[in-house]
Amino acid sequence: MTAAARQAFPASLSLLGITVAGLIFLPLAYIISLAVSTQPAVWTRLWQTRIPELLWNTATLAGGVAIGTLILGVSLAWLVVRLEFPGRRFWEWALVLPLTMPTYVLAYVYSYALGIGGPVEHIWQRVAGPQSHVFSPQSYAGATLVMTLDTFPLVYLLARAALLNLNVSFEEVARVCGLTRLGIIFRVTLPLLRPALVAGLSLVMLYVVSDFGAVSLLRYQTFTYAVYQQMTGRYDHSAAAVLSLILVVFALIFLLAERWFRRRSRFYQTTGRYRAAPRKPCGLLGSAAITVYLGTIFGCAFLLPALLLLKWTLATIAQGTLDSRFWGFVWNSAMLSGVAATAAILLGTPLAYLATRRSARLNVLCLQAAYAGYVLPGPVGALAILLLFSQFAPFLYGTVVILIVAYVVHFLPAGLQTMEPALHQLTPTLEEAARSLGASAMETIRRITLPLVQGGFVAAWVLIFLQCMKELPATLLLRPVGFDTLAVRVWLEASEEYFQLAAPPAFLIVLLSLPALLLLLARDWRSA
Amino acid sequence: MATVQHTFLSSLVHRSWFPLATALMLSVIDVAIPMPATAADRLVVYSGRAERLIKPVLDAFQATSGVQIDLLSSGTTELVNRLHAEGERTPADVFITNDVGSLEHARALSLLQPLDGKMFDGKIPETFRSPDNSWIGLSGRFWIVVYNTTLVNPADITSLFDLADPRWRGKIAIPNAGSEYLQAGVSVIKATHGDQRTQQFLEGLKANAGTQVYGKSSQIVDAVAKGQAAIGVVNHYYVYRHLESQPGAPIAALMPDQQEGGMGAIVNAAGIGVVARSRHTDLARRLIEFLISPQGQKMFAELNKEYPLNPDVPADPALPPRHSFRTSTVQLVRLGELREPTMTLIERVGLR
């Protein structure tokens, strides 16, 4: 490589970074401009008709789920951190497992279980008489239950980490000063946990407002579902764009709140005199009560649904209905996810590299822009990309390319979060040494940087791959006609109430989500 | 596209560990992009009609004519949007839907081409064709009331308007606002009774339905059969299909608005049109000829218990005879122009 080329390299890399960031940011910018330029008449009409109901539904769902996850998350974290009982270590891990259930899988299992003629009604009618009904899963209560069971581990994880970090001296001082046990919890412990809890709740609410799978299967009207209905039922997408913008604002609020409080919780640390609280051993009765409590939640959120899926899957295999089409769906999912994950890593590398190595304001800005995918819930991202493509590249309309772009935009942020620390951990001196020994910039990257960051990048690839496997709304809206993936099959079969047929793809998705969860936990898990 | 991308990417990743991954990715993309059919005896069909209901008929045509059919099934509105977006590059030759309003909308967007009307004389009545024969109806479908026989006395309902009565609060199941059947139904009511009365009706219906708003009509019939809802509004065949698979189900169909001076049952049709950009017009015409022939009509209608439009072909004996009830006089072709105002009305009421 000539000296001139060596000189030009960083500039071209910067240029590449800016281009990638711009492309990733484009859908968000486009949807904002589209909504803003929509005729005021459409805004007025929507304010008078849909928006109040959607705001109310979305806000109450987010609120209900927040309360539910707060109670479950904090109580569970408290039990496994502060008490000692048989099986504690098992529960510590097991309580995270519900995260492997995509919301549409849990929603579909519950619409069977709680539905008319379902097992829960069956049991209930034995208790309360043959005419009695349980509450319908297609309701506020149903949606709240499903979303709570699916997302409480997010609060649990953060609360657990915060409790582990909590210096017990604060509580001891309070006790010495004469506070009661309950007083300590409400006046010392919970306030100290507050940043972690707010961060966890913001994350939960970001999940709730972005979720499409559960609300669509439970027919609960929120913004994501409304955007989807507008897109599939109307010729004109301006109303969908307006609703999307409101959704983006919601998502942005929760995302920023999560970032802000998570950072604060990280620095809420103690002095050198840190001491962990001792675990209080429980008696036989106490242990039994705790086990029943943990078992009920774990059973409802993971074990029973998983067993039901397994049972249905085995039944499907026994009946021979698991045909070659199924493997076609597996291949479609795997192929799409593989291509998308590879593309995301290729595009993310210059961004992560620039932001960590040359953290000029512009480069950091590029990295931030690439996080746009976080505030583009599935249907919104799909809408933006669909409109962009049909305007500027109509020949790609209805091909898998458009779907891969949607995946990259949506999941690159998650990948970047894994790639960035990997690059951070690598000291620049190694690269500088390579350069001073005469290696070219490219050679340095190839021989020094890449081998050292490989682990983080492989983890990011796997993470994106598995997220893509689960992705539902964008796939549903953008897939080439007749091109189904596992997630799409679960949704289609479940929404026609072919519960048994939906089980094999659902079970496979849950299985495949396990390694992704382990990877994520390995990053943050601090063993007690 | 692939070549452009290839040179672009390969210049970026020269001599790094990327080429293998890139090559793999590009080859997969190459395989995955469906190429427009180019062979002379191939016909690409976009269908808003469920695959289960159309594929057997197309298979029969393929077997007798030797024309290879590529079928793409999806939502009707999605397909109109898709045809529109693809414009001149569309691979589609033929568009089949379950809703005349969508066909008429496609015609208004110049997505369909007119055909020679002589082809259809004596086979498909003119009321079931667009004036320039850009689309042709293939089967008739009626928007009716389904009720649970243990929960409802059919004498209580004579008109669709009765469903807005508060006595049915929480007992009615309706399709969501994206349903083409609902849109067509509301269009007819609006054309017959005017905006205000239609709005009152929809408000009552909305209040009575509560959360029982379904994405699929089969779910509505199911909900009524299970007693989750007492009454539902669906196309007639959902009821007869359900009764065929579960003969003992406590449901029955009721043809509304048959009273003196009533508007008559709301009719819609499944239909077909030849895409304006099609390069296989002759083959497309042969397909249409097959579909309006007695054999094609019988198959097409019977697969879904609809009414054949060819007067020589009798309907399924399980259905009420075609001449036993009156039909709305609103012309089908108007469903296209009525749709946007109807959607605005539906949205104003706040139906989902």
Side-chain angles (χ1 to χ4, degrees):
Chain A
M1 215 180 252
T2 64
R6 214 175 286 172
Q7 205 62 38
F9 172 72
S12 63
L13 191 64
S14 282
L15 210 63
L16 179 64
I18 294 170
T19 317
V20 170
L23 286 176
I24 300 289
F25 190 68
L26 199 58
L28 180 60
Y30 189 68
I31 207 82
I32 292 172
S33 77
L34 207 66
V36 170
S37 62
T38 298
Q39 288 169 353
V42 177
W43 277 92
T44 331
R45 194 182 79 214
L46 287 169
W47 270 113
Q48 282 164 356
T49 56
R50 301 302 315 278
I51 293 176
E53 185 202 8
L54 293 173
L55 275 177
W56 171 254
N57 280 356
T58 308
T60 47
L61 182 64
V65 175
I67 294 169
T69 51
L70 188 65
I71 295 169
L72 288 185
V74 173
S75 63
L76 295 171
W78 178 273
L79 290 176
V80 299
V81 172
R82 288 297 173 86
L83 299 179
E84 190 60 71
F85 50 91
R88 190 189 61 81
R89 283 192 165 274
F90 163 76
W91 291 116
E92 221 174 355
W93 274 93
L95 288 171
V96 188
L97 287 178
L99 286 179
T100 57
M101 292 253 166
T103 54
Y104 52 89
V105 170
L106 206 61
Y108 122 66
V109 168
Y110 271 87
S111 54
Y112 159 77
L114 293 174
I116 300 244
V120 177
E121 186 182 79
H122 213 67
I123 296 164
W124 181 243
Q125 283 178 343
R126 281 196 192 163
V127 180
Q131 285 310 312
S132 52
H133 294 295
V134 282
F135 68 92
S136 160
Q138 279 88 20
S139 63
Y140 171 71
T144 311
L145 176 74
V146 166
M147 294 298 294
T148 303
L149 287 178
D150 215 22
T151 54
F152 78 82
L154 297 171
V155 178
Y156 161 75
L157 272 174
L158 285 169
R160 176 183 168 279
L163 273 173
L164 284 175
N165 288 336
L166 195 74
N167 193 342
V168 77
S169 336
F170 294 131
E171 292 174 12
E172 283 167 356
V173 169
R175 189 109 179 94
V176 168
C177 294
L179 265 183
T180 61
R181 213 169 267 173
L182 217 58
I184 293 174
I185 291 180
F186 281 99
R187 292 182 58 189
V188 180
T189 320
L190 284 179
L192 282 171
L193 292 181
R194 201 158 47 198
L197 296 183
V198 178
L201 287 183
S202 307
L203 201 58
V204 165
M205 294 207 245
L206 183 63
Y207 257 73
V208 172
V209 300
S210 314
D211 175 67
F212 169 77
V215 293
S216 61
L217 284 178
L218 299 176
R219 299 197 307 276
Y220 183 78
Q221 297 279 325
T222 61
F223 277 101
T224 45
Y225 191 29
V227 169
Y228 171 80
Q229 285 174 327
Q230 287 281 345
M231 282 183 71
T232 51
R234 296 297 297 263
Y235 299 127
D236 174 22
H237 290 324
S238 58
V242 168
L243 297 178
S244 295
L245 180 64
I246 299 175
L247 186 51
V248 165
V249 171
F250 255 113
L252 191 65
I253 292 171
F254 292 129
L255 180 71
L256 292 179
E258 195 260 340
R259 287 283 163 95
W260 170 253
F261 283 101
R262 190 189 278 256
R263 201 168 305 143
R264 284 194 48 193
S265 74
R266 211 173 282 159
F267 293 110
Y268 229 108
Q269 243 312 0
T270 40
T271 56
R273 294 177 186 282
Y274 168 77
R275 270 193 314 113
R279 284 202 173 81
K280 215 180 112 195
C282 293
L284 197 62
L285 213 61
S287 298
I290 290 168
T291 309
V292 168
Y293 178 61
L294 297 178
T296 309
I297 292 166
F298 180 67
C300 291
F302 182 79
L303 190 62
L304 293 176
L307 287 177
L308 190 63
L309 290 179
L310 179 63
K311 186 188 128 193
W312 275 335
T313 305
L314 294 178
T316 320
I317 294 170
Q319 288 163 11
T321 27
L322 201 71
D323 53 7
S324 60
R325 282 185 73 201
F326 177 76
W327 300 108
F329 304 139
V330 176
W331 162 247
N332 285 351
S333 286
M335 188 274 289
L336 264 184
S337 309
V339 175
T342 310
I345 299 294
L346 289 178
L347 293 173
T349 305
L351 286 178
Y353 184 81
L354 283 171
T356 46
R357 277 293 164 277
R358 289 176 247 281
S359 53
R361 189 171 290 172
L362 183 68
N363 292 337
V364 175
L365 199 70
C366 281
L367 189 73
Q368 295 295 334
Y371 280 100
Y374 266 141
V375 292
L376 282 176
V380 179
L383 174 70
I385 287 164
L386 185 82
L387 294 176
L388 271 173
F389 270 86
S390 49
Q391 193 156 354
F392 300 110
F395 53 96
L396 288 175
Y397 190 97
T399 66
V400 287
V401 174
I402 188 169
L403 200 49
I404 289 166
V405 171
Y407 285 168
V408 170
V409 170
H410 199 55
F411 295 121
L412 183 59
L416 282 175
Q417 267 189 338
T418 314
M419 289 156 76
E420 226 190 322
L423 280 169
H424 262 300
Q425 281 160 11
L426 169 78
T427 152
T429 21
L430 282 177
E431 290 173 347
E432 284 158 16
R435 293 300 298 276
S436 70
L437 288 170
S440 70
M442 264 304 179
E443 206 182 347
T444 311
I445 290 184
R446 191 165 54 86
R447 292 184 54 192
I448 306 294
T449 317
L450 283 180
L452 284 169
V453 298
Q454 220 168 23
F457 279 34
V458 168
W461 190 93
V462 174
L463 210 59
I464 299 174
F465 178 84
L466 295 171
Q467 301 265 34
C468 291
M469 293 286 279
K470 291 203 290 189
E471 209 287 335
L472 175 67
T475 320
L476 211 51
L477 288 163
L478 299 178
R479 78 203 142 108
V481 178
F483 185 92
D484 289 353
T485 65
L486 290 172
V488 167
R489 283 323 286 185
V490 175
W491 192 84
L492 289 178
E493 304 285 16
S495 57
E496 301 233 23
E497 309 208 338
Y498 291 123
F499 295 126
Q500 193 171 309
L501 286 177
F507 189 70
L508 194 56
I509 288 175
V510 173
L511 268 188
L512 286 172
S513 303
L514 274 171
L517 184 66
L518 296 184
L519 266 178
L520 272 178
L521 285 183
R523 204 169 67 192
D524 294 332
W525 188 264
R526 200 189 127 218
S527 100
Chain B
M1 174 62 202
T3 49
V4 174
Q5 212 173 30
H6 195 184
T7 49
F8 170 64
L9 279 176
S10 54
S11 67
L12 293 181
V13 296
H14 186 56
R15 281 198 300 150
S16 73
W17 56 299
F18 296 127
L20 183 65
T22 314
L24 182 76
M25 187 170 97
L26 289 173
S27 63
V28 171
I29 290 178
D30 275 344
V31 173
I33 297 175
M35 284 296 142
T38 44
D41 51 352
R42 255 169 199 275
L43 212 47
V44 177
V45 177
Y46 278 15
S47 165
R49 194 173 167 86
E51 192 171 306
R52 191 168 46 78
L53 302 179
I54 186 71
K55 198 158 185 310
V57 191
L58 296 177
D59 285 348
F61 173 71
Q62 187 170 316
T64 56
S65 68
V67 177
Q68 170 81 32
I69 302 269
D70 288 340
L71 174 65
L72 302 178
S73 305
S74 184
T76 302
T77 307
E78 279 173 277
L79 285 174
V80 176
N81 287 340
R82 190 185 168 104
L83 278 172
H84 193 42
E86 285 171 345
E88 299 196 3
R89 312 185 59 111
T90 185
D93 297 302
V94 171
F95 182 38
I96 297 177
T97 76
N98 280 338
D99 166 50
V100 164
S102 309
L103 281 169
E104 178 58 21
H105 184 76
R107 188 204 61 77
L109 291 171
S110 309
L111 298 174
L112 302 179
Q113 53 176 284
L115 298 173
D116 182 5
K118 276 190 230 121
M119 212 175 136
F120 312 107
D121 288 340
K123 294 195 168 143
I124 302 293
E126 274 182 30
T127 45
F128 287 100
R129 296 187 239 153
S130 84
D132 66 350
N133 297 301
S134 279
W135 52 260
I136 295 93
L138 293 173
S139 65
R141 26 188 47 221
F142 293 88
W143 213 43
I144 53 100
V145 173
V146 55
Y147 64 93
N148 184 305
T149 48
T150 59
L151 300 173
V152 176
N153 174 6
D156 290 341
I157 303 161
T158 52
S159 162
L160 281 176
F161 285 93
D162 294 335
L163 303 185
D165 192 309
R167 68 187 287 194
W168 303 118
R169 187 68 36 108
K171 293 183 177 160
I172 295 185
I174 59 171
N176 71 28
S179 146
E180 283 90 11
Y181 317 142
L182 178 90
Q183 293 162 7
V186 175
S187 289
V188 171
I189 297 172
K190 190 164 117 66
T192 316
H193 293 285
D195 265 17
Q196 206 188 345
R197 186 120 190 253
T198 311
Q199 182 166 347
Q200 281 168 2
F201 163 66
L202 289 179
E203 277 161 0
L205 197 63
K206 180 192 173 198
N208 286 347
T211 59
Q212 305 223 52
V213 181
Y214 292 82
K216 296 212 161 55
S217 296
S218 50
Q219 295 171 335
I220 297 179
V221 175
D222 215 38
V224 173
K226 285 178 181 168
Q228 202 171 339
I231 303 170
V233 198
V234 289
N235 280 339
H236 72 272
Y237 46 80
Y238 289 107
V239 184
Y240 297 102
R241 260 165 45 189
H242 192 96
L243 282 172
E244 190 177 53
S245 63
Q246 294 171 47
I251 54 169
L254 186 151
M255 202 61 79
D257 298 286
Q258 298 297 310
Q259 76 279 21
E260 193 69 34
M263 72 178 161
I266 291 169
V267 64
N268 200 337
I272 188 167
V274 179
V275 175
R277 296 286 163 187
S278 167
R279 277 154 294 173
H280 305 105
T281 321
D282 285 343
L283 294 181
R285 207 173 289 142
R286 276 170 65 195
L287 173 62
I288 296 179
E289 265 163 13
F290 172 76
L291 290 175
I292 62 177
S293 72
Q295 187 205 353
Q297 278 281 288
K298 192 164 148 54
M299 270 192 94
F300 191 89
E302 273 187 1
L303 273 168
N304 197 30
K305 298 202 177 297
E306 291 176 53
Y307 288 91
L309 295 180
N310 187 327
D312 298 336
V313 183
D316 189 311
L319 301 176
R322 180 61 198 82
H323 295 290
S324 65
F325 55 91
R326 272 189 319 114
T327 311
S328 149
T329 53
V330 176
Q331 284 189 327
L332 277 178
V333 65
R334 292 191 59 201
L335 290 180
E337 69 186 60
L338 286 167
R339 180 161 147 154
E340 271 311 298
T342 296
M343 288 307 292
T344 311
L345 180 67
I346 286 176
E347 229 167 56
R348 196 182 322 141
V349 172
L351 281 187
R352 289 148 168 188

